[in-house]
């Protein structure tokens, strides 16, 4: 079974631009979560989608948004990019949501550099 | 979710067992212990999880103490490819989401 895929793998943008990242979960998985990883802050949870609805959200500004499609694929968007948004953005998929405990399976990430 | 404490770094000789400890003294009765690892610049990889019983899979074994205040991840025969940052996370399954809160983990270096 194919794993979580993320596109693009690398991206360079300039300050003020916006960016859209894409994630395709493991087949049959219905929950998609997004994380940001930076050297200073480590891995931080952004938001999670299940059945096309955002179910919970981390402590990030409104410039960070996402959506999920009926086929469970997800996109995240960052508007008005800042230098501090340079990071590895990770997508993770889970079979379900809530209970029983569902492990998350991560994709390879998208490395975003903002100049 | 309960806080975890892990040593920042460990070394292990190739071919030997790597024993990675995790302290979670404030764990509650319905919180699970999860282990993930992250090889440099890749996405975290799920390893194993457990509630109170010891667990084993093709990658590792998880030993949870009887009082559940600590656990140990065991990689039985470490290889160079096991060099990674290992994260111990405790969380309760919740209808509010699947999110994991990663700490700083243990950087394991397998030495030839």
């Amino acid at each position: 079974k194919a794993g979580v895929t993320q596109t693009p793998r690398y991206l360079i943008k300039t300050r003020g631009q916006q960016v859209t990242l894409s994630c395709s979960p493991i087949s049959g998985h219905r929950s998609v979560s997004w994380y940001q990883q930076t050297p200073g802050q480590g891995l931080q949870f952004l938001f999670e989608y299940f059945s096309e609805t955002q179910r919970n959200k981390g402590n990030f500004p409104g410039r960070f948004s996402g959506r999920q499609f009926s086929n469970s694929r997800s996109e995240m968007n960052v508007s008005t990019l800042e230098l501090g948004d340079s990071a590895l953005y990770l997508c993770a998929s889970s079979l379900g949501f809530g209970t029983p405990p569902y492990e998350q399976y991560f994709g390879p990430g998208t490395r975003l550099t903002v100049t | 979710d309960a806080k975890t404490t892990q040593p920042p770094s460990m070394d292990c000789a190739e071919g030997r067992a790597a024993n990675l400890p995790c302290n979670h003294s404030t764990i509650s009765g319905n919180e699970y212990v999860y282990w993930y690892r992250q090889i440099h610049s890749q996405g975290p990889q799920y390893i194993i999880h457990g509630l109170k019983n010891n667990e084993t899979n093709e990658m590792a074994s998880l030993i949870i103490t009887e009082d559940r205040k600590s656990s140990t991840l065991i990689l039985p025969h470490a290889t160079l490819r096991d060099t990674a940052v290992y994260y111990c996370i405790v969380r309760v399954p919740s209808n509010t989401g699947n999110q994991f809160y990663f700490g700083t983990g243990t950087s394991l270096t397998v030495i030839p």
Side-chain angles (χ1 to χ4, degrees):
Chain A
K1 186 184 280 191
V4 177
T5 59
Q6 293 187 244
T7 57
R9 294 291 313 277
Y10 302 92
L11 203 51
I12 300 174
K13 291 285 189 179
T14 56
R15 279 177 296 176
Q17 288 186 314
Q18 75 166 18
V19 66
T20 299
L21 312 181
S22 180
C23 171
S24 292
I26 292 171
S27 177
H29 283 198
R30 298 173 60 200
S31 171
V32 173
S33 297
W34 289 89
Y35 293 80
Q36 181 197 65
Q37 186 172 28
T38 60
Q41 299 296 319
L43 265 159
Q44 293 186 287
F45 170 73
L46 277 157
F47 31 64
E48 178 176 15
Y49 285 85
F50 179 75
S51 294
E52 302 177 64
T53 303
Q54 187 180 94
R55 297 304 178 115
N56 48 68
K57 189 176 188 300
N59 189 26
F60 278 82
R63 300 185 297 107
F64 293 82
S65 62
R67 59 178 176 169
Q68 186 181 35
F69 302 96
S70 58
N71 62 358
S72 296
R73 191 177 69 85
S74 177
E75 290 179 347
M76 69 161 281
N77 183 277
V78 188
S79 63
T80 319
L81 283 166
E82 301 177 358
L83 294 179
D85 297 333
S86 295
L88 180 66
Y89 289 89
L90 293 156
C91 167
S93 75
S94 300
L95 186 62
F97 180 82
T99 58
Y102 292 105
E103 57 268 25
Q104 294 192 324
Y105 295 90
F106 285 78
T110 294
R111 172 75 61 184
L112 172 65
T113 302
V114 182
T115 62
Chain B
D1 296 334
K3 180 179 169 56
T4 62
T5 304
Q6 298 178 254
S9 63
M10 291 181 63
D11 292 337
C12 176
E14 187 178 19
R16 305 295 294 267
N19 296 284
L20 293 95
C22 180
N23 181 284
H24 31 79
S25 57
T26 60
I27 194 170
S28 60
N30 58 350
E31 285 188 299
Y32 285 73
V33 180
Y34 289 78
W35 283 84
Y36 280 77
R37 72 180 182 184
Q38 187 174 26
I39 296 169
H40 183 63
S41 293
Q42 297 181 21
Q45 178 187 24
Y46 165 77
I47 301 173
I48 199 167
H49 75 275
L51 181 61
K52 57 179 74 171
N53 298 320
N54 298 337
E55 302 286 345
T56 296
N57 63 20
E58 64 279 2
M59 287 183 68
S61 295
L62 173 61
I63 309 298
I64 302 174
T65 58
E66 194 167 337
D67 62 7
R68 302 187 70 240
K69 293 184 184 298
S70 65
S71 61
T72 301
L73 178 75
I74 301 173
L75 308 177
H77 305 287
T79 70
L80 298 179
R81 286 178 293 182
D82 292 322
T83 293
V85 177
Y86 287 77
Y87 297 97
C88 169
I89 304 160
V90 298
R91 67 180 296 270
V92 56
S94 166
N95 287 324
T96 62
N98 294 328
Q99 72 274 19
F100 286 88
Y101 292 97
F102 290 80
T104 53
T106 295
S107 178
L108 175 69
T109 301
V110 179
I111 302 168

